[in-house]
Amino acid sequence: MTPTRYAFVKASWHADIVDRALDGFYQLIPPEQVDVFDVPGAFEMPLLSRDLAATGRYGAVVAAAFVVDGGIYRHEFVAQAVVDGLMRAGMDTGVPVLSVSLTPHQYQETEHHKQIYRAHFVEKGREAAKAALTIGKTRAALAA
């Protein structure tokens, strides 16, 4: 039987934006079914996601981050490493590990951009919840 609890891992960088994904997730999956874990940044998500998935307690693990060009390193490399690591965590454990890790080409710390991405993260959180529920239903049907 597929567990009906979900793990939600979220990066603390840009929390005012990233946390909106959890708001969207809660629109379809009640908070009582979700364990929330904070990590410093996106790069720390794959390891914790793998560890959470390996417990067998969760029907899916969702990881949310906002990776932007900070001018210090190539954010595309970080984003690729994160997405690859999340995919590997799911494949290694057999538990869906879903990404709400977004990397915009253009982001500026303006209120206009913040509003756009906050709204986008709510939608992406809903999409992650739909994916988690759909995958769980499909896997349950396969097991029957």
Side-chain angles (χ1 to χ4, degrees):
M1 183 171 160
T2 303
T4 57
R5 292 203 64 72
Y6 301 89
F8 198 102
V9 178
K10 56 188 183 66
S12 297
W13 279 83
H14 299 284
D16 61 317
I17 294 171
V18 173
D19 289 358
R20 302 298 65 83
L22 185 57
D23 296 340
F25 196 77
Y26 284 158
Q27 290 177 3
L28 296 175
I29 297 175
E32 302 79 36
Q33 290 180 251
V34 182
D35 294 331
V36 179
F37 303 88
D38 290 303
V39 293
F43 203 73
E44 292 80 20
M45 292 190 316
L47 180 62
L48 182 58
S49 296
R50 186 208 58 199
D51 292 348
L52 291 166
T55 68
R57 292 183 207 144
Y58 301 106
V61 176
V62 177
F66 192 48
V67 181
V68 299
D69 186 352
I72 297 172
Y73 54 83
R74 297 293 298 184
H75 66 290
E76 295 94 344
F77 297 140
V78 172
Q80 189 65 53
V82 169
V83 172
D84 288 347
L86 293 173
M87 178 60 73
R88 191 171 117 211
M91 298 301 288
D92 289 352
T93 62
V95 173
V97 176
L98 307 171
S99 175
V100 182
S101 302
L102 304 180
T103 307
H105 285 288
Q106 299 292 324
Y107 174 73
Q108 297 170 13
E109 293 267 351
T110 65
E111 194 53 39
H112 176 71
H113 271 192
K114 288 179 183 180
Q115 287 177 357
I116 289 169
Y117 286 105
R118 284 181 192 127
H120 193 59
F121 265 78
V122 171
E123 178 58 30
K124 291 301 176 184
R126 275 194 301 267
E127 289 175 5
K130 287 178 190 174
L133 293 168
T134 301
I135 292 168
K137 183 177 176 182
T138 301
R139 294 181 94 192
L142 289 171

